[in-house]
Amino acid sequence: MSRRTPPNSSDKMLAVDGDQWSILRDMLPYLWPAGHPGLKARVVFALVALILSKVITVATPYAFKYATDALTGKADPATIAATVVVFFVLAYGVGRIMMVVLAQIRDAVFARVSQRAVKELAVRTFRHLHALSLKFHLERRTGGLSRIVSRGTMGIDTVLRFSLFNTFPTVLEIAFVAGILAWTYGWLYSVVILGTVLAYVWFTYAATEWRINIRRDMNAADTEANTKAVDSLLNFETVKYFGNEEHEVKRYARSMESYEKAAVKTWVSLSVLNSGQAVIYSVGLTLVMVMSALSVRAGTATVGDFVMINALMIQLYMPLNFIGSSYREIKQGLIDVEQMFTLLKVNAEIEDKPGAKPLAVKDAEVVFENVTFAYDPERPILRNLSLRVPPGKTVAIVGPSGAGKSTISRLLYRFYDVNGGRVLIDGQDISQVTQKTLRGAIGMVPQDTVLFNDTIRYNIRYGRPDATDAEVEEAARMAQIHDFVMSLPKGYDALVGERGLKLSGGEKQRVSIARTILKGPPILILDEATSALDSFTEHQIQEALKKVSENRTTLVIAHRLSTVVDADEIIVLERGQVAERGTHEELLAEGGVYAAMWNRQRQVDEAREILKDAAAKGVISPLDRDDARSRETSLSS
């Protein structure tokens, strides 16, 4: 049995929706796309080709009848030869050719319709994923989510093709065969055929419903295994740090064992289904052929009739088999696509209000007015917080971990809506303006920089996709990374690797700063922007950031107080409230929370320098060095 997602996981939002008929109805507009007469014409043309193909398929066995009757008659050899040529070679050959050609024309014409549906739904899902809240994505499982989308897009094409080009034509062909036999040979033939079809369909339905749960378990195990694989590979370095390769392999193997068991059950159940279908069809075929043989024996039918009925019944097996496989494929395709549709029903927590207007930035003044916020109602983060970042000034937010520093940047970006109070830019409540214009006015240099697995040029240009190469390079110079980039064999075309792993922390941070510079926003947020840098590099980056911050409203979220001594105002947060505010000198003079934090950090810096000097001179042992690092960590906390 596969592992299920815990009830409190975000994947609960992606639980299977059992109403698959509603999903099928939701997909029908993609089969008959509004506003696209050309695509509708393709659907009609494909249906006409389908019907012609089925008419020819049912008519082809008549060639066998006439040829057999001619061969068993008393006509002279010349007449027999002509009959065989006309009715067997030509009629049968042309019929077979037309059956195949029309089917291929049908598929070729419909391809654009089905693939457009796949594209439209895939793009719609991708757009919806980007519209969902930060909360959703913080709780998501990347590997599992990618598999849901991957299986869903493949399932869309499967459901559309099998519902239109297998189920409908199969019903059509059964109706043709039953009608021909009833009209030509009597209603009893139709009764046997329809009884066989009903038994076949009932068994197929019952067996397929049984197999559906097995398929769900296999999908769940597949998702679980893929999630673990992606998560492990994304954290490749961490795995190596702790030497846990075998541990990761065992975790993956356990998930694959669940998949293996479900997959075996799937194949066994398929064998049971195929065997039952073959028995039901063979019984029906035998009954019809016995009836036909008795009619030939009684002289009421010819050998040609016997051959034609046999050909019709054998030909009927293909669409009957398609009924089974079509139902299985449609059901399995719906299982694959239902989580994708359920995902589309997840509401975006943060949406533009009706009538939201673009943000008009003039002075770029930022104000938090009595803001209250909590991720969890039982654990408030900000309590009636009020602060103001004057136009063109730099305000730093400092405080211990958990004080709410990074939450302020998330609220300013409107990744979350405040529980109370307001956030204003130039007097405009950000909840009343469009998210696109709001985020377009803010630039962010985050603490943890994650880059796209593309070139350095692409990652810098991401700040403004229409920027020229010259503008990209100028931004890199301001971020003091241009010389490094030019030292690489491929320069700006060098790939940074998955999540930017080919670059050091400082190099990634400079790329992040460069793309923010390129964006050129009036409001700038620096969230621990130099936390990944050594002292020398930090000093260089600080100089670059000072230039970038000129004439911009800048909010600096900092842990290392040395980076904010030049701020126009420093706000000290403690338990979600403003504990102190003032310049660096004013806060030191107060001798309060900020002064205590400053003194502790000075001790950490001094300890770090002593440790570095002693290690360089080789005067301490590894054990002493580890102990000193522990004391340093204790001091910093």
Side-chain angles (χ1 to χ4, degrees):
M1 185 65 66
S2 63
R3 254 177 242 175
R4 297 295 185 185
T5 305
N8 60 348
S9 167
S10 68
D11 285 339
K12 183 179 180 182
M13 293 182 286
L14 305 181
V16 172
D17 180 3
D19 191 4
Q20 294 178 335
W21 288 111
S22 68
I23 294 174
L24 194 57
R25 286 195 300 271
D26 289 341
M27 293 178 63
L28 288 179
Y30 294 93
L31 187 63
W32 190 254
H36 294 281
L39 293 178
K40 289 181 179 179
R42 284 177 174 271
V43 175
V44 172
F45 188 87
L47 287 173
V48 170
L50 183 153
I51 293 172
L52 286 176
S53 174
K54 289 305 172 185
V55 170
I56 293 173
T57 299
V58 173
T60 300
Y62 276 96
F64 283 100
K65 169 181 167 55
Y66 296 137
T68 302
D69 285 341
L71 289 169
T72 56
K74 295 182 180 179
D76 60 77
T79 305
I80 293 175
T83 302
V84 171
V85 169
V86 173
F87 289 104
F88 184 68
V89 179
L90 293 181
Y92 178 76
V94 170
R96 295 294 297 179
I97 290 172
M98 292 304 299
M99 286 164 51
V100 174
V101 169
L102 286 171
Q104 294 305 312
I105 290 175
R106 175 200 70 192
D107 289 342
V109 169
F110 190 72
R112 181 170 294 180
V113 179
S114 63
Q115 292 309 310
R116 183 183 180 86
V118 171
K119 183 202 75 173
E120 291 291 336
L121 271 170
V123 170
R124 178 186 166 193
T125 304
F126 188 71
R127 180 179 289 112
H128 184 69
L129 285 174
H130 277 288
L132 294 178
S133 67
L134 178 64
K135 178 182 177 182
F136 175 88
H137 286 281
L138 289 176
E139 295 177 352
R140 82 193 192 283
R141 302 189 304 170
T142 305
L145 197 61
S146 67
R147 290 297 287 172
I148 288 172
V149 177
S150 174
R151 285 198 304 258
T153 52
M154 290 188 292
I156 293 163
D157 186 53
T158 299
V159 172
L160 287 178
R161 283 190 172 276
F162 277 89
S163 60
L164 183 65
F165 291 146
N166 291 97
T167 305
F168 172 68
T170 296
V171 172
L172 191 65
E173 187 165 349
I174 290 171
F176 281 164
V177 171
I180 288 172
L181 292 180
W183 178 265
T184 308
Y185 303 107
W187 61 269
L188 194 56
Y189 285 89
S190 294
V191 169
V192 174
I193 289 174
L194 293 177
T196 301
V197 169
L198 289 175
Y200 190 99
V201 170
W202 173 84
F203 175 78
T204 300
Y205 172 81
T208 302
E209 287 298 314
W210 164 55
R211 296 185 70 239
I212 289 303
N213 289 329
I214 299 174
R215 177 75 178 197
R216 282 199 179 104
D217 287 341
M218 188 173 75
N219 280 355
D222 178 46
T223 299
E224 184 75 16
N226 192 70
T227 297
K228 283 184 169 56
V230 171
D231 194 39
S232 179
L233 293 174
L234 286 176
N235 293 281
F236 176 81
E237 286 187 273
T238 303
V239 174
K240 291 295 183 183
Y241 291 153
F242 294 93
N244 280 340
E245 294 90 344
E246 193 58 33
H247 170 73
E248 292 297 319
V249 170
K250 287 178 180 178
R251 288 178 71 233
Y252 182 69
R254 283 194 296 270
S255 297
M256 287 305 298
E257 284 175 7
S258 299
Y259 177 81
E260 177 188 11
K261 292 176 183 178
V264 169
K265 288 181 181 179
T266 299
W267 284 106
V268 171
S269 62
L270 180 61
S271 298
V272 172
L273 175 60
N274 289 337
S275 298
Q277 289 173 334
V279 169
I280 292 172
Y281 169 76
S282 298
V283 169
L285 173 64
T286 302
L287 286 175
V288 170
M289 296 316 299
V290 167
M291 291 166 58
S292 180
L294 292 176
S295 296
V296 173
R297 182 75 174 175
T300 57
T302 66
V303 176
D305 292 320
F306 180 84
V307 171
M308 180 179 130
I309 291 173
N310 179 262
L312 282 172
M313 288 299 295
I314 291 176
Q315 209 159 264
L316 186 63
Y317 177 73
M318 293 179 63
L320 265 181
N321 188 49
F322 279 139
I323 276 188
S325 63
S326 295
Y327 182 72
R328 290 197 304 271
E329 292 296 331
I330 290 172
K331 289 289 287 185
Q332 290 173 4
L334 286 171
I335 288 172
D336 290 342
V337 83
E338 64 186 343
Q339 286 189 325
M340 188 174 178
F341 271 87
T342 305
L343 179 63
L344 288 170
K345 294 176 183 177
V346 177
N347 292 325
E349 295 182 23
I350 307 299
E351 294 182 311
D352 288 343
K353 300 288 178 63
K357 297 180 179 178
L359 176 68
V361 181
K362 182 180 179 182
D363 299 321
E365 179 189 51
V366 176
V367 175
F368 279 65
E369 188 178 274
N370 299 319
V371 170
T372 298
F373 177 75
Y375 297 107
D376 184 337
E378 297 179 359
R379 184 174 172 263
I381 302 298
L382 301 179
R383 300 176 176 88
N384 294 319
L385 174 71
S386 293
L387 62 87
R388 175 175 174 267
V389 187
K393 300 297 183 180
T394 297
V395 172
I397 309 290
V398 301
S401 297
K405 301 188 299 295
S406 294
T407 298
I408 289 175
S409 67
R410 290 176 173 179
L411 292 177
L412 185 56
Y413 258 101
R414 207 187 161 210
F415 289 153
Y416 300 92
D417 278 332
V418 298
N419 301 134
R422 296 189 302 168
V423 180
L424 308 172
I425 295 179
D426 284 345
Q428 301 161 85
D429 189 336
I430 64 171
S431 67
Q432 304 301 318
V433 301
T434 61
Q435 297 175 71
K436 182 177 180 62
T437 57
L438 168 66
R439 292 166 188 164
I442 305 172
M444 164 69 86
V445 180
Q447 177 180 3
D448 298 317
T449 298
V450 177
L451 303 180
F452 294 95
N453 189 6
D454 209 302
T455 64
I456 293 176
R457 189 188 309 279
Y458 174 86
N459 278 281
I460 295 177
R461 183 175 274 144
Y462 200 78
R464 182 155 53 88
D466 60 350
T468 64
D469 287 347
E471 290 172 323
V472 169
E473 293 175 15
E474 179 59 27
R477 287 189 182 91
M478 292 184 67
Q480 300 188 28
I481 196 175
H482 175 74
D483 292 340
F484 162 75
V485 175
M486 295 307 295
S487 70
L488 299 174
K490 292 186 178 181
Y492 282 90
D493 293 323
L495 295 173
V496 303
E498 187 78 35
R499 297 169 62 87
L501 290 177
K502 289 185 178 181
L503 303 181
S504 69
E507 291 158 358
K508 287 196 296 183
Q509 204 74 322
R510 293 183 194 216
V511 170
S512 176
I513 293 168
R515 68 184 176 192
T516 303
I517 291 171
L518 191 62
K519 182 178 181 181
I523 300 170
L524 188 63
I525 300 176
L526 308 177
D527 188 355
E528 306 279 9
T530 58
S531 61
L533 310 178
D534 57 71
S535 299
F536 177 75
T537 306
E538 178 187 352
H539 176 72
Q540 290 183 312
I541 296 298
Q542 284 298 326
E543 291 301 315
L545 289 175
K546 283 181 183 179
K547 294 179 181 178
V548 175
S549 302
E550 289 177 0
N551 302 319
R552 284 192 173 93
T553 300
T554 305
L555 186 64
V556 180
I557 297 168
H559 176 70
R560 296 169 68 171
L561 303 184
S562 60
T563 63
V564 298
V565 294
D566 295 327
D568 296 298
E569 184 180 33
I570 299 172
I571 295 176
V572 183
L573 286 188
E574 205 171 37
R575 296 182 179 180
Q577 295 177 313
V578 177
E580 297 174 349
R581 65 198 321 158
T583 64
H584 174 69
E585 290 77 12
E586 291 171 348
L587 293 175
L588 286 180
E590 286 183 15
V593 176
Y594 181 83
M597 292 172 60
W598 177 261
N599 290 331
R600 282 199 302 270
Q601 199 158 99
R602 285 185 62 189
Q603 294 177 42
V604 170
D605 292 340
E606 290 172 1
R608 185 182 292 116
E609 289 301 319
I610 292 172
L611 178 64
K612 182 179 178 181
D613 185 60
K617 295 178 179 178
V619 297
I620 61 173
S621 66
L623 184 61
D624 293 331
R625 186 164 60 246
D626 292 341
D627 184 53
R629 285 173 177 164
S630 298
R631 289 197 300 272
E632 177 187 337
T633 302
S634 177
L635 281 169
S636 65
S637 61

